[in-house]
Amino acid sequence: MNEFDIIERYFRFSPPSANAPVSIGDDAAIVDSRGPLAITVDTLTAGVHFPEDARPADIGHKALAVNLSDLAAMGATPRWFTLALTLPASDPDWLADFSSGLKALANRYGIRLIGGDTTRGPLSITIQAIGSAPPGGAVLRAGARPGDDIHVTGSLGDAALGLRIHRGEARLDPNLERLCLERLHAPEPRVRAGEALAPLASAMIDCSDGFAADLGHVLSASGVSAVVDFAALPFSSAVRRWLDDGGEPALPLTGGDDYELIFTAPPSAREAIATVAESLSLPVSRVGRITPEGGLKIMADGRPLVLQQRGHDHFRADGERP
Amino acid sequence: MNEFDIIERYFRFSPPSANAPVSIGDDAAIVDSRGPLAITVDTLTAGVHFPEDARPADIGHKALAVNLSDLAAMGATPRWFTLALTLPASDPDWLADFSSGLKALANRYGIRLIGGDTTRGPLSITIQAIGSAPPGGAVLRAGARPGDDIHVTGSLGDAALGLRIHRGEARLDPNLERLCLERLHAPEPRVRAGEALAPLASAMIDCSDGFAADLGHVLSASGVSAVVDFAALPFSSAVRRWLDDGGEPALPLTGGDDYELIFTAPPSAREAIATVAESLSLPVSRVGRITPEGGLKIMADGRPLVLQQRGHDHFRADGERP
């Protein structure tokens, strides 16, 4: 099976469309957009971003999911993506499973695979995703203002706990373990939430490095500070159980890989945000407020939590993920 | 040095512009285009696409050059690119040199770095480049018609010979060796030629897999055949010397890594093509013609050359490049 066979069999799953008349099979794809585009790129490397023994379908899902999460954080609507796939060998079973995970998520959000590159080397997947910016303009990190509320979608810490479980460093009831492992291996990007929240949010980011680190990026970009109420942070029953059993509070704040949206909005938007949350059946929690100064304070039992680190850095010796 | 420092120091070399108001430092970049876009992606992996000991500046140059070459083959004008860089460690000297090679080529063709991802792992570079399609529409592989001429820019085989020289498998005069090594390590993408030829060409492809393989792609996509005159193929003094000394004619036809443009055009375009060649000081050679059937025939001394393989396939056991 050569590289052309691989493309034909496993990756020609998006037919050409009026807006993407040329895709796989020429020197470049051609797309036609009538407005501003949001463009993002993310690489997943075996042993760093996913375990060497991860299911190929999960790898395909996650490689696209992390990019869709970035588009969601701009409030953008997914349109097209390219896939750069580096493989040690061409294994039909692996490719079929990888392709199925990728395709299922792509179809769910209507994003089309328009091109790519297949090369031989250590397993690595780079996806670049392109979306249409929302009509009112993309939601940047720099828009948070003192007095704004801070909100978070879904729940924090499940993937970080899932990684502990995967490594055999934590145990929970099997059902709670499954929830955490699912969040680790196949996170659901908050695409529809990003689109719906775009007109309401003053700043937005997706939570990939860790809640504290990613909120920190918003604060830096906006030149503001924040006070967060630990008790208001959204935790699943799995994380809550783990905390009740003496687990350290830093884990759900710094573990990362959540792919939830962290956003700020003026208090006047609270009702509209609640309506969005209800219509998407996705919890949105108000967890703090933006302040003019004082840095990032996460208050628990009346005292600020002290974190050793805010989140992941892939170039730290201890920064490796699974 | 963490990943944010790396981006700040080495990769924030394209300032925001009116058409790309958001670039590095948010969840995605925002670009605004008023017409169709050409999008391409290519990965270079150490030990496969460049030697482990290649100069970092050359790696940076080549990673962008191969993508610019794909845009050129569509007749597109380079606009924006993203960089996914996977590094074993953060080495400031390596990064500074890599960045300088990348930046020099980016500035030469006015393409802006708008985003990326920096991760830890085996050295690998994936660049996705976006260009504006030419006003008359992109030049596809599928447009070749019987009776069209086949043309090639520049010269073929220098990089393939350069690889032999790099491996110690061929020797030439030092000046000829330098020419070949330069073509191997730092190919010049034919961006301006692609733009200028777009209104004239019926089909176009860049020569990366090898002349025979890439012309083969055009023939397949167009449903036509071709006769090529070996004696009309453009060879540098280095390749000519090497052929005169008994080197096999297959090398410049199948070696690849040329990054020249192969294109077809009706005979009525000959004069206009000559004008383009002269204005760019770039030789353009007419090397054959498109026929309705008979496959691809490369005629030398009145007989068709027989090639063992047409070009590179990264998943063949013997398909490795340096």
Side-chain angles (χ1 to χ4, degrees):
Chain A
M1 192 164 49
N2 66 28
E3 54 190 304
F4 305 106
D5 297 330
I6 291 173
I7 294 162
E8 283 302 320
R9 282 194 213 173
Y10 304 109
F11 299 112
R12 200 185 271 281
F13 54 69
S14 301
S17 69
N19 288 326
V22 176
S23 59
I24 295 167
D26 218 299
D27 295 288
I30 300 292
V31 302
D32 201 349
S33 143
R34 280 155 204 278
L37 297 172
I39 301 177
T40 186
V41 62
D42 264 316
T43 299
L44 300 196
T45 302
V48 179
H49 302 89
F50 57 86
E52 303 273 1
D53 60 350
R55 288 177 50 214
D58 285 341
I59 300 172
H61 173 102
K62 191 164 180 175
L64 182 56
V66 300
N67 282 285
L68 291 176
S69 184
D70 279 322
L71 292 185
M74 306 298 277
T77 298
R79 302 287 296 276
W80 307 289
F81 74 105
T82 61
L83 168 69
L85 179 60
T86 303
L87 289 173
S90 63
D91 171 346
D93 292 338
W94 191 97
L95 282 161
D97 199 35
F98 174 86
S99 166
S100 74
L102 184 69
K103 180 180 174 180
L105 185 62
N107 288 350
R108 182 140 82 250
Y109 292 110
I111 187 167
R112 310 171 79 89
L113 178 55
I114 55 166
D117 188 26
T118 308
T119 53
R120 193 162 59 158
L123 180 59
S124 169
I125 304 106
T126 297
I127 284 181
Q128 169 154 353
I130 301 178
S132 294
V139 188
L140 308 187
R141 296 178 179 180
R145 295 291 168 260
D148 281 356
D149 297 323
I150 302 167
H151 303 265
V152 185
T153 63
S155 61
L156 298 171
D158 300 314
L161 185 50
L163 179 54
R164 295 268 179 112
I165 293 164
H166 180 88
R167 285 176 174 166
E169 299 168 1
R171 289 305 306 266
L172 290 172
D173 298 343
N175 278 335
L176 297 181
E177 289 197 347
R178 231 183 83 214
L179 179 153
C180 294
L181 290 169
E182 183 75 17
R183 291 290 308 265
L184 173 66
H185 293 303
E188 192 63 30
R190 302 305 187 191
V191 174
R192 297 305 169 221
E195 293 170 339
L197 293 167
L200 305 172
S202 53
M204 191 150 59
I205 192 169
D206 73 314
C207 187
S208 55
D209 290 339
F211 173 80
D214 289 314
L215 177 56
H217 295 322
V218 169
L219 303 184
S220 301
S222 301
V224 294
S225 292
V227 176
V228 169
D229 177 11
F230 185 81
L233 289 169
F235 299 131
S236 67
S237 49
V239 168
R240 206 161 285 286
R241 166 66 54 86
W242 184 81
L243 289 172
D244 288 347
D245 289 351
E248 70 268 30
L251 183 81
L253 299 177
T254 61
D257 252 4
D258 296 297
Y259 305 106
E260 298 293 355
L261 296 175
I262 304 169
F263 64 99
T264 60
S268 59
R270 286 179 193 173
E271 200 174 326
I273 291 168
T275 304
V276 167
E278 196 173 354
S279 73
L280 295 173
S281 302
L282 176 70
V284 175
S285 306
R286 180 155 54 86
V287 301
R289 64 174 202 283
I290 297 295
T291 55
E293 49 197 20
L296 169 57
K297 285 199 187 107
I298 301 176
M299 305 298 289
D301 301 323
R303 284 182 303 193
L305 272 176
V306 177
L307 301 173
Q308 296 297 319
Q309 56 168 107
R310 283 184 170 184
H312 277 290
D313 174 358
H314 293 298
F315 287 94
R316 285 169 56 119
D318 61 348
E320 291 232 2
R321 300 206 206 174
Chain B
M1 192 165 49
N2 67 27
E3 55 190 302
F4 304 106
D5 297 330
I6 291 173
I7 294 162
E8 283 302 319
R9 282 195 214 173
Y10 304 109
F11 299 113
R12 199 185 272 282
F13 55 68
S14 301
S17 69
N19 289 328
V22 177
S23 59
I24 295 168
D26 218 300
D27 295 287
I30 300 292
V31 302
D32 201 349
S33 142
R34 279 153 204 280
L37 296 172
I39 301 179
T40 185
V41 61
D42 264 315
T43 299
L44 300 196
T45 302
V48 179
H49 301 89
F50 57 86
E52 303 273 358
D53 60 349
R55 287 177 51 215
D58 285 342
I59 300 172
H61 173 102
K62 192 164 180 176
L64 181 56
V66 299
N67 281 286
L68 291 176
S69 184
D70 279 321
L71 291 185
M74 306 298 276
T77 298
R79 301 287 295 277
W80 306 290
F81 73 105
T82 61
L83 168 69
L85 179 60
T86 302
L87 289 174
S90 63
D91 171 346
D93 292 339
W94 191 96
L95 281 161
D97 199 35
F98 175 84
S99 167
S100 74
L102 184 68
K103 180 179 174 180
L105 186 62
N107 287 350
R108 181 141 82 251
Y109 292 110
I111 187 168
R112 311 170 78 88
L113 178 56
I114 56 165
D117 188 25
T118 309
T119 54
R120 192 162 61 161
L123 180 59
S124 170
I125 303 107
T126 296
I127 283 180
Q128 169 153 355
I130 302 178
S132 294
V139 188
L140 308 186
R141 296 178 180 180
R145 296 289 168 263
D148 281 356
D149 296 324
I150 302 167
H151 303 265
V152 185
T153 63
S155 61
L156 298 171
D158 301 313
L161 186 50
L163 180 54
R164 296 267 179 110
I165 292 164
H166 180 87
R167 286 177 173 162
E169 298 167 3
R171 290 304 308 263
L172 289 172
D173 298 342
N175 278 336
L176 296 181
E177 289 197 347
R178 229 182 83 215
L179 179 151
C180 294
L181 291 170
E182 183 74 16
R183 291 290 308 265
L184 173 66
H185 294 303
E188 192 64 28
R190 302 305 187 191
V191 174
R192 298 302 169 224
E195 293 171 339
L197 292 167
L200 305 172
S202 54
M204 190 149 62
I205 192 170
D206 74 313
C207 187
S208 55
D209 290 338
F211 173 81
D214 289 314
L215 178 56
H217 296 322
V218 169
L219 303 184
S220 301
S222 301
V224 295
S225 292
V227 176
V228 169
D229 176 11
F230 184 82
L233 288 170
F235 299 131
S236 67
S237 50
V239 168
R240 206 162 287 287
R241 165 68 54 86
W242 184 82
L243 289 173
D244 288 347
D245 289 352
E248 70 269 31
L251 183 81
L253 298 177
T254 62
D257 252 3
D258 295 297
Y259 305 106
E260 298 292 355
L261 296 175
I262 304 170
F263 64 100
T264 61
S268 59
R270 285 178 194 175
E271 201 174 325
I273 291 167
T275 304
V276 167
E278 196 174 353
S279 73
L280 295 174
S281 303
L282 175 71
V284 175
S285 305
R286 180 155 55 87
V287 301
R289 64 175 201 286
I290 297 295
T291 55
E293 49 198 17
L296 169 57
K297 283 198 187 112
I298 301 175
M299 306 297 290
D301 301 323
R303 284 182 303 190
L305 271 176
V306 177
L307 300 174
Q308 295 298 318
Q309 57 169 105
R310 283 185 170 183
H312 276 290
D313 173 359
H314 293 299
F315 287 94
R316 286 169 55 120
D318 61 348
E320 292 233 3
R321 301 206 203 169

